[in-house]
Amino acid sequence: MAAETFEFQVEARQLLQMMIHSIYSNKDVFLRELVSNASDALDKLRLEALRDDTLGVDVSDLHIAVEADRDARTLTVRDNGIGMSYDEVVKLIGTIANSGTATFLRELKEAKDAGAAEGLIGQFGVGFYASFMVADEVELLTRRAGESQGTRWTSTGEGTYTIETVAEAPQGTAVTLRLKPVDTEDGLHDYTAAWQIREIVKRYSDFITWPVRMVPEAATDTEGEADPQAAREPETLNSMKALWARSRDEVSDAEYHELYKHISHDWLDPLETIRLQAEGTFEYQALLFIPSHAPHDLFTQGHQRGVQLYVKRVFIMDDCEALLPSYLRFVKGVVDAQDLSLNVSREILQQDRQIQMMHRRLAKKVLAAVKDLMAGSAERYATFWREFGRVVKEGLLSDFDNRDAILGICSFATTHDQDEPTTLKQYVERMKDGQEHIFYLTGESRQAIENSPHMEAFRAKGIEVLLLTDPVDEVWVEAVPAFDGKQLRSVAKGEVDLDTEEEKQQAADEREQRQQEYAGLLSWLTEQLGEQLKEVRLSTRLTVSPACIVSDTHDVTPALESMYRAMGQEVPRVKRILELNPGHALVSGLNKAHGERGGAADLAETGELLYGMALLAEGGELSDPARFVKLMADRLERVL
Ligand code: ADP
């Protein structure tokens, strides 16, 4: 078949452009990416050979070979792993599947300076395309295990690639780079030099579980003299030691970080490394990482979890969701169990008692690590919470056992401080004498919540309120009854009573009297607005606004109601309560007029307007906006 030329998908083309005009300064990482892909391909082949004994491939010497040709200035990274079919090459190398790519590219365009752009590339990682940082042409020759023909792919990275079927190709994949000229200024080292290759593999890929061999032809040193270390035999460059099985003081942070990058395809260092060595009847080691930023697809279905399962040093599966709860899905790492069967399936794992024990222990370990992070570094904890807080809060709904631990690592925006969020513990420490509850209000944004009429009395009394703006907040606050024995209370629900005992004595008579004065108006309005409202009553939470709407203590809030609807669940409409502020001239005036003229039509309209205004003030939606506007316009016209 003749070679065909194809265009790269738009996103892929944009990424390639960036690689060619390299905005990433550490060019050496291209080799890490190629070795990492080769290692994955070997893992895959080993597993496939285990499952399918008709595959007929030799898996006795799986390895990665690095070959340099100084004269031709080429570098080849070869593996005898799973390889790719023709279609796979088109799909995997010609397009970018990652759902976050579009977002990423948009952000990249907006990035002001080179530093910011480099940071973004780092967050994203670009795998195979990193080759174009150091090469002006790349050839990939591959044959999938079990297939007879191979595929050759070549590109200069400029818009198109050529692809053809070839009769002869060794099984596995060989990526050959035609290297750009050495330019140390630009970070382009001599990647044909044996010492350079040796150093880069050692630095970035030492822990790779397959041998990375340098083939003798390449084994000459910078001066061109024969390198005694690599005389004839291929030289294995990596120690292949599993970092998780070594003791803490044997492994440097840099080594842990490289393992993290291999597993996560992230180019940035992790925020935290967590080690766990379980001894005893069920022995396992875990090395987990909290990334320093959230991936773009954390909230999309099908987001890949990052924990790999090994059994006795042998890779078993990526993305092992049985090992950690969903609300910790951003954690990456390796778990190596000693006593599992090598051909466990995902289905079996979900049921396995030992896996369930590991799951519990690992979840606790991660939560404890975040707690330590909190105590150790306010800045790092702030990063953690900014990136992953929304996900962690999901755990308040699903992980009953760890609820207190999760609450302990949460933080929330608060009226106490414009910028700094607060933990619940800090909130409780600041609670006023006699304050029994932890108060919060949910809403769209900090500003919307702060301007809500519900906040007025709390502001007047100087009582701190948590400002909850994540969609998940609407849900967990319903499920979590208390923290440290203090109930969580919405300031938009139930009656509020912020008075001290003394104030209560004083206010009691006054209130009683008011209640009598307003009784007629309240029952009349309750009847008038009965379609929409449960009750109209006097408010103790307003100081400035004429009216607000509140929910009964145990009722579902409107935001939650609409969330349930959006998820396709049937929920009955919950009627709420209109509260009037007798201290407001509009309300006292209405009461007076009602006393004189009873249920006149214009007074009923005033009631309707009050209700509409209260709805608008909390960011709600009017059921008949046109009618509201008409009533309002008529009123305004009359006062002109
Ligand atoms: P990533 O590794 O982050 O998925 P890459 O662009 O590096 O992105 O690679 C895309 C895909 O191409 C890989 O996920 C893998 O399926 C395939 N691939 C890359 N290199 C190899 C290889 N050496 N052998 C087999 N498949 C490979």
Side-chain angles (χ1 to χ4, degrees), residues 38 95 111 151 212 290 300 315 324 352 404 562 602 616:
T95 64
T151 305
V212 181
I290 299 175
T300 40
F315 173 81
L324 276 177
D352 189 279
D404 287 338
S562 53
D602 66 316
L616 288 176

PDB file of all heavy atoms in Angstrom, residues 38 95 111 151 212 290 300 315 324 352 404 562 602 616:
ATOM      1  N   ALA A  38       7.074   3.331  26.232  1.00  0.00           N
ATOM      2  CA  ALA A  38       7.591   1.994  25.919  1.00  0.00           C
ATOM      3  C   ALA A  38       7.325   1.051  27.092  1.00  0.00           C
ATOM      4  O   ALA A  38       6.908  -0.099  26.908  1.00  0.00           O
ATOM      5  CB  ALA A  38       9.087   2.075  25.623  1.00  0.00           C
ATOM      6  N   THR A  95      -4.354  12.080  16.824  1.00  0.00           N
ATOM      7  CA  THR A  95      -5.353  12.890  17.528  1.00  0.00           C
ATOM      8  C   THR A  95      -5.055  12.893  19.019  1.00  0.00           C
ATOM      9  O   THR A  95      -4.268  12.091  19.507  1.00  0.00           O
ATOM     10  CB  THR A  95      -6.772  12.303  17.359  1.00  0.00           C
ATOM     11  OG1 THR A  95      -6.781  11.017  17.983  1.00  0.00           O
ATOM     12  CG2 THR A  95      -7.170  12.165  15.906  1.00  0.00           C
ATOM     13  N   ALA A 111      -2.496  32.649  28.102  1.00  0.00           N
ATOM     14  CA  ALA A 111      -1.335  32.798  28.986  1.00  0.00           C
ATOM     15  C   ALA A 111      -0.474  33.973  28.513  1.00  0.00           C
ATOM     16  O   ALA A 111      -0.117  34.074  27.354  1.00  0.00           O
ATOM     17  CB  ALA A 111      -0.517  31.516  28.997  1.00  0.00           C
ATOM     18  N   THR A 151       3.377  -0.847  10.593  1.00  0.00           N
ATOM     19  CA  THR A 151       2.960   0.477  10.155  1.00  0.00           C
ATOM     20  C   THR A 151       4.111   1.449  10.361  1.00  0.00           C
ATOM     21  O   THR A 151       4.748   1.433  11.419  1.00  0.00           O
ATOM     22  CB  THR A 151       1.745   0.969  10.988  1.00  0.00           C
ATOM     23  OG1 THR A 151       0.711  -0.008  10.891  1.00  0.00           O
ATOM     24  CG2 THR A 151       1.242   2.311  10.485  1.00  0.00           C
ATOM     25  N   VAL A 212      16.158  -0.778  30.615  1.00  0.00           N
ATOM     26  CA  VAL A 212      16.372   0.195  29.546  1.00  0.00           C
ATOM     27  C   VAL A 212      17.830   0.033  29.137  1.00  0.00           C
ATOM     28  O   VAL A 212      18.740   0.333  29.907  1.00  0.00           O
ATOM     29  CB  VAL A 212      16.139   1.636  30.040  1.00  0.00           C
ATOM     30  CG1 VAL A 212      16.352   2.626  28.881  1.00  0.00           C
ATOM     31  CG2 VAL A 212      14.745   1.799  30.627  1.00  0.00           C
ATOM     32  N   ILE A 290      -0.368  13.174  45.939  1.00  0.00           N
ATOM     33  CA  ILE A 290      -1.396  14.184  45.704  1.00  0.00           C
ATOM     34  C   ILE A 290      -0.803  15.161  44.686  1.00  0.00           C
ATOM     35  O   ILE A 290       0.229  15.762  44.952  1.00  0.00           O
ATOM     36  CB  ILE A 290      -1.759  14.932  46.998  1.00  0.00           C
ATOM     37  CG1 ILE A 290      -2.300  13.949  48.031  1.00  0.00           C
ATOM     38  CG2 ILE A 290      -2.770  16.035  46.709  1.00  0.00           C
ATOM     39  CD1 ILE A 290      -2.586  14.563  49.382  1.00  0.00           C
ATOM     40  N   THR A 300     -15.534  15.109  34.867  1.00  0.00           N
ATOM     41  CA  THR A 300     -16.243  14.460  33.766  1.00  0.00           C
ATOM     42  C   THR A 300     -16.263  12.962  34.003  1.00  0.00           C
ATOM     43  O   THR A 300     -15.344  12.399  34.589  1.00  0.00           O
ATOM     44  CB  THR A 300     -15.581  14.746  32.400  1.00  0.00           C
ATOM     45  OG1 THR A 300     -14.181  14.692  32.566  1.00  0.00           O
ATOM     46  CG2 THR A 300     -15.962  16.100  31.875  1.00  0.00           C
ATOM     47  N   PHE A 315       3.236  -5.275  37.207  1.00  0.00           N
ATOM     48  CA  PHE A 315       2.114  -4.387  36.914  1.00  0.00           C
ATOM     49  C   PHE A 315       0.864  -5.184  36.542  1.00  0.00           C
ATOM     50  O   PHE A 315       0.911  -6.056  35.688  1.00  0.00           O
ATOM     51  CB  PHE A 315       2.504  -3.462  35.761  1.00  0.00           C
ATOM     52  CG  PHE A 315       1.376  -2.620  35.259  1.00  0.00           C
ATOM     53  CD1 PHE A 315       1.021  -1.452  35.924  1.00  0.00           C
ATOM     54  CD2 PHE A 315       0.666  -2.986  34.126  1.00  0.00           C
ATOM     55  CE1 PHE A 315      -0.021  -0.666  35.455  1.00  0.00           C
ATOM     56  CE2 PHE A 315      -0.382  -2.205  33.656  1.00  0.00           C
ATOM     57  CZ  PHE A 315      -0.729  -1.045  34.324  1.00  0.00           C
ATOM     58  N   LEU A 324      -9.343   3.139  46.085  1.00  0.00           N
ATOM     59  CA  LEU A 324      -9.617   4.386  46.802  1.00  0.00           C
ATOM     60  C   LEU A 324     -11.044   4.834  46.511  1.00  0.00           C
ATOM     61  O   LEU A 324     -11.575   4.589  45.435  1.00  0.00           O
ATOM     62  CB  LEU A 324      -8.664   5.497  46.344  1.00  0.00           C
ATOM     63  CG  LEU A 324      -7.283   5.588  46.991  1.00  0.00           C
ATOM     64  CD1 LEU A 324      -6.485   6.707  46.342  1.00  0.00           C
ATOM     65  CD2 LEU A 324      -7.378   5.833  48.486  1.00  0.00           C
ATOM     66  N   ASP A 352     -13.208  -8.301  46.828  1.00  0.00           N
ATOM     67  CA  ASP A 352     -12.160  -8.911  47.634  1.00  0.00           C
ATOM     68  C   ASP A 352     -12.040  -8.245  49.009  1.00  0.00           C
ATOM     69  O   ASP A 352     -11.940  -7.027  49.122  1.00  0.00           O
ATOM     70  CB  ASP A 352     -10.838  -8.788  46.877  1.00  0.00           C
ATOM     71  CG  ASP A 352      -9.742  -9.580  47.540  1.00  0.00           C
ATOM     72  OD1 ASP A 352      -9.151  -9.088  48.531  1.00  0.00           O
ATOM     73  OD2 ASP A 352      -9.485 -10.702  47.067  1.00  0.00           O
ATOM     74  N   ASP A 404     -15.906  12.653  59.984  1.00  0.00           N
ATOM     75  CA  ASP A 404     -15.253  13.637  60.853  1.00  0.00           C
ATOM     76  C   ASP A 404     -13.880  14.028  60.325  1.00  0.00           C
ATOM     77  O   ASP A 404     -13.500  15.191  60.353  1.00  0.00           O
ATOM     78  CB  ASP A 404     -15.138  13.107  62.280  1.00  0.00           C
ATOM     79  CG  ASP A 404     -16.497  13.109  62.958  1.00  0.00           C
ATOM     80  OD1 ASP A 404     -17.368  13.883  62.498  1.00  0.00           O
ATOM     81  OD2 ASP A 404     -16.692  12.328  63.908  1.00  0.00           O
ATOM     82  N   SER A 562     -33.973  22.276  42.496  1.00  0.00           N
ATOM     83  CA  SER A 562     -33.733  22.344  41.050  1.00  0.00           C
ATOM     84  C   SER A 562     -32.586  21.426  40.638  1.00  0.00           C
ATOM     85  O   SER A 562     -32.565  20.912  39.523  1.00  0.00           O
ATOM     86  CB  SER A 562     -33.494  23.782  40.588  1.00  0.00           C
ATOM     87  OG  SER A 562     -32.491  24.369  41.339  1.00  0.00           O
ATOM     88  N   ASP A 602     -55.346  46.826  45.598  1.00  0.00           N
ATOM     89  CA  ASP A 602     -53.993  47.375  45.508  1.00  0.00           C
ATOM     90  C   ASP A 602     -53.107  46.864  46.649  1.00  0.00           C
ATOM     91  O   ASP A 602     -51.890  46.762  46.516  1.00  0.00           O
ATOM     92  CB  ASP A 602     -54.031  48.906  45.475  1.00  0.00           C
ATOM     93  CG  ASP A 602     -54.555  49.471  46.787  1.00  0.00           C
ATOM     94  OD1 ASP A 602     -55.564  48.934  47.309  1.00  0.00           O
ATOM     95  OD2 ASP A 602     -53.939  50.434  47.304  1.00  0.00           O
ATOM     96  N   LEU A 616     -36.369  37.974  44.281  1.00  0.00           N
ATOM     97  CA  LEU A 616     -35.265  38.529  43.504  1.00  0.00           C
ATOM     98  C   LEU A 616     -34.032  38.746  44.378  1.00  0.00           C
ATOM     99  O   LEU A 616     -32.903  38.491  43.957  1.00  0.00           O
ATOM    100  CB  LEU A 616     -35.670  39.857  42.855  1.00  0.00           C
ATOM    101  CG  LEU A 616     -36.663  39.748  41.692  1.00  0.00           C
ATOM    102  CD1 LEU A 616     -37.051  41.132  41.196  1.00  0.00           C
ATOM    103  CD2 LEU A 616     -36.052  38.934  40.545  1.00  0.00           C
TER     104      LEU A 616
END
